[in-house]
Amino acid sequence: GDHHGGGAEALRLAGPDNKTKQYDEGVLRKRTQVETDVLAREKAAHELADALPKEISTIPTIDLFLPEALKDAVFVGHLVTDLDSVGGAIGAAALYNGKAALASDINSETAFALEEWGVEKPPTIEEVLKENPNAKICLVDHQQTSQMNPAINPDNVVGVIDHHALQSKTIVTDRPIYIDIRPWGSMSTIISHTFLTHHKRPPVGVAGMLLCAILSDTLNLQGPTTTEWDRLMVATLSEIAGVDDIQFLASQQFKAKSKELAGLSAHGLVNGDQKCFSFSTETFNGDVGFAVVETTDDAVIIDRMDELLPEIVACKKERNLSALFLAVVNIVQLKGTLLLCGPSELSLAKAAFPNCKVNDTHTMMDLGSRVSRKKDYIPEITKAVKAGWKKPVKRGLSVVDMAALGKLEVDPTDYQNITRRGSLAMKQGEHFTVDDDSVVDEENCI
């Protein structure tokens, strides 16, 4: 069937203007970045996937193009291993007839992808080297010796497939090795592209792992390192792996990722699972963003309030939203907390959830047992807007110039580690607070 590059479900629920997805009660949500991106490339993706041999082939001609050096090699990612390292190693092993290995324990996101696609967890590099101490090694997703598992002997490294900058500590070798480094958003994009250029169809499980890895490393195609190739490969892999709802897969994966919050940047948390809803009434016309982070330990997130609030303001400004909420949901205790980054959010939250308590700095609302964006949050916000809510007179930090909100910097050795530097909101020194202007005398309102 045609999976529309992963956008079949977005098409099925398309709203009147095609840039939206229609929910119950006539609620319209804008298509997410990943939905928009795959639908824009569905034709190319369909053609690419269709052109591949239907059977997983072993035609000798394919071997002509496969580098001799990588035959029977062990493909292994970096320490503190992530989904791009593991998915990429599994993909490379399938492509080059080698073996995948783990440099370290897998994280919750990688465990999700392996289970989702029914792929066996690779053995550790230590186990592989115990069996075969002189195995040929191909490093994937890194080339710095500081990120290499110490069990690897640099003399046995025969290749590098990576997408990171060449900085200090790049591996030095005595003889030429196979190198494939491309400035793309994910190492798994390189492997996917090579499958296509070699006219080789990845098995469904491998295609699924590569797909999840690209979504992970590019923050669902929203990260600053995302390229055209990443977008096209996501659409093509969705076709091959039979994915109809790319947004659902991305959301499920982010839920798995946010089980381990320590590794997530504020930018990653605010953008990981954010949806945007469009409203048009006599009193309000605009888009409201709603991000959700599900966790077993909400205290960890709430401790990072002073880092998260300025990030929400910056993101709201970047996307030209009228309001942007972040709900932190504790999935064990089933309770929700809403972060409020400005007067509009405070005012709309009070209108939508009139009985919920707000903290002293007006930056946090206790949502009690409300935990679902679809069932508990958006219907209430929709009701409040339809009942005549309008933006307050007083404006918070989101009226300042974008430049004052800092700029994103990407760690050259870890593209998922994105920090916003130089934000005015961060410079306040004291804790982030929001003015409550619901106490303003009505008659003096403009």
Side-chain angles (χ1 to χ4, degrees):
D2 188 355
H3 305 284
H4 296 282
E9 185 63 8
L11 277 181
R12 192 178 72 78
L13 291 174
D17 68 350
N18 261 351
K19 289 195 174 66
T20 51
K21 194 165 168 184
Q22 195 136 14
Y23 287 147
D24 313 338
E25 319 290 311
V27 170
L28 284 185
R29 106 160 146 68
K30 283 190 149 177
R31 275 189 190 152
T32 59
Q33 186 77 53
V34 70
E35 286 171 333
T36 308
D37 282 347
V38 297
L39 283 170
R41 291 159 187 82
E42 61 164 317
K43 188 170 177 291
H46 195 61
E47 285 171 8
L48 284 168
D50 257 13
L52 293 174
K54 292 287 165 267
E55 297 304 307
I56 313 290
S57 78
T58 48
I59 313 169
T61 51
I62 287 182
D63 293 342
L64 280 177
F65 307 106
L66 291 178
E68 193 57 33
L70 299 187
K71 246 207 176 97
D72 309 320
V74 177
F75 296 87
V76 61
H78 53 76
L79 290 168
V80 191
T81 210
D82 61 11
L83 182 45
D84 197 29
S85 271
V86 178
I90 288 169
L95 175 63
Y96 295 117
N97 304 320
K99 190 170 186 174
L102 301 174
S104 59
D105 285 343
I106 61 170
N107 60 23
S108 54
E109 184 184 34
T110 307
F112 160 82
L114 290 167
E115 192 179 327
E116 175 76 14
W117 296 105
V119 173
E120 212 175 309
K121 183 168 89 166
T124 65
I125 186 68
E126 289 85 354
E127 290 171 78
V128 173
L129 291 174
K130 200 186 235 170
E131 239 171 74
N132 180 4
N134 290 316
K136 298 195 292 187
I137 304 284
C138 178
L139 305 179
V140 301
D141 203 29
H142 71 302
Q143 24 66 18
Q144 291 185 301
T145 49
S146 53
Q147 298 205 350
M148 229 164 89
N149 182 300
I152 298 168
N153 175 357
D155 291 341
N156 292 335
V157 173
V158 296
V160 166
I161 305 171
D162 188 26
H163 65 128
H164 293 98
L166 296 168
Q167 302 225 305
S168 58
K169 302 200 177 85
T170 296
I171 185 164
V172 174
T173 62
D174 288 340
R175 54 186 188 283
I177 61 172
Y178 177 86
I179 298 245
D180 187 353
I181 296 180
R182 311 186 204 178
W184 296 353
S186 153
M187 178 263 163
S188 294
T189 304
I190 301 173
I191 298 297
S192 311
H193 183 269
T194 311
F195 263 109
L196 298 181
T197 54
H198 288 176
H199 205 62
K200 204 170 170 184
R201 176 181 290 266
V204 167
V206 172
M209 288 301 295
L210 291 168
L211 171 60
C212 286
I214 300 171
L215 291 176
S216 168
D217 244 28
T218 62
L219 284 174
N220 302 336
L221 301 179
Q222 302 174 104
T225 61
T226 310
T227 67
E228 180 54 37
W229 288 113
D230 303 303
R231 298 180 189 104
L232 182 59
M233 290 304 108
V234 162
T236 307
L237 292 164
S238 295
E239 283 292 327
I240 296 169
V243 173
D244 283 329
D245 192 345
I246 190 72
Q247 179 56 43
F248 181 69
L249 177 65
S251 295
Q252 293 299 100
Q253 184 170 306
F254 180 70
K255 282 176 190 175
K257 189 182 207 161
S258 58
K259 280 185 184 151
E260 293 168 355
L261 291 167
L264 277 174
S265 64
H267 182 75
L269 288 168
V270 175
N271 288 279
D273 182 9
Q274 185 188 121
K275 288 180 180 166
C276 169
F277 301 84
S278 305
F279 297 100
S280 180
T281 67
E282 281 177 15
T283 50
F284 171 67
N285 203 336
D287 296 329
V288 174
F290 212 107
V292 177
V293 175
E294 294 194 354
T295 173
T296 51
D297 184 6
D298 50 349
V300 171
I301 298 257
I302 290 157
D303 284 347
R304 292 172 68 182
M305 284 274 285
D306 287 340
E307 177 193 357
L308 285 165
L309 289 163
E311 183 55 46
I312 299 171
V313 173
C315 181
K316 170 182 170 181
K317 184 88 176 171
E318 276 168 356
R319 302 200 168 180
N320 199 16
L321 301 172
S322 296
L324 175 56
F325 294 100
L326 173 64
V328 181
V329 173
N330 184 315
I331 50 179
V332 180
Q333 296 167 354
L334 292 180
K335 62 188 183 70
T337 305
L338 195 60
L339 302 197
L340 310 168
C341 72
S344 296
E345 288 75 10
L346 176 64
S347 156
L348 181 49
K350 283 176 149 182
F353 312 106
N355 302 321
C356 293
K357 285 197 172 64
V358 176
N359 68 349
D360 295 343
T361 51
H362 304 127
T363 50
M364 206 162 82
M365 178 181 264
D366 181 351
L367 292 172
S369 60
R370 296 176 182 82
V371 292
S372 160
R373 174 169 48 201
K374 204 169 178 176
K375 296 194 187 82
D376 302 325
Y377 304 155
I378 298 307
E380 296 308 316
I381 289 211
T382 303
K383 261 185 230 161
V385 170
K386 286 186 171 165
W389 178 80
K390 56 178 190 283
K391 285 185 82 163
V393 181
K394 203 172 266 180
R395 289 282 187 271
L397 271 171
S398 57
V399 297
V400 303
D401 190 333
M402 190 64 222
L405 295 174
K407 63 176 195 295
L408 292 177
E409 286 182 11
V410 182
D411 176 344
T413 61
D414 176 7
Y415 288 161
Q416 295 190 47
N417 182 12
I418 300 170
T419 325
R420 195 176 291 276
R421 304 219 183 272
S423 167
L424 175 77
M426 296 285 207
K427 288 197 186 103
Q428 290 185 338
E430 77 278 22
H431 290 306
F432 192 104
T433 51
V434 172
D435 287 335
D436 183 0
D437 76 341
S438 58
V439 288
V440 176
D441 180 8
E442 279 299 323
E443 286 166 32
N444 300 333
C445 277
I446 303 155

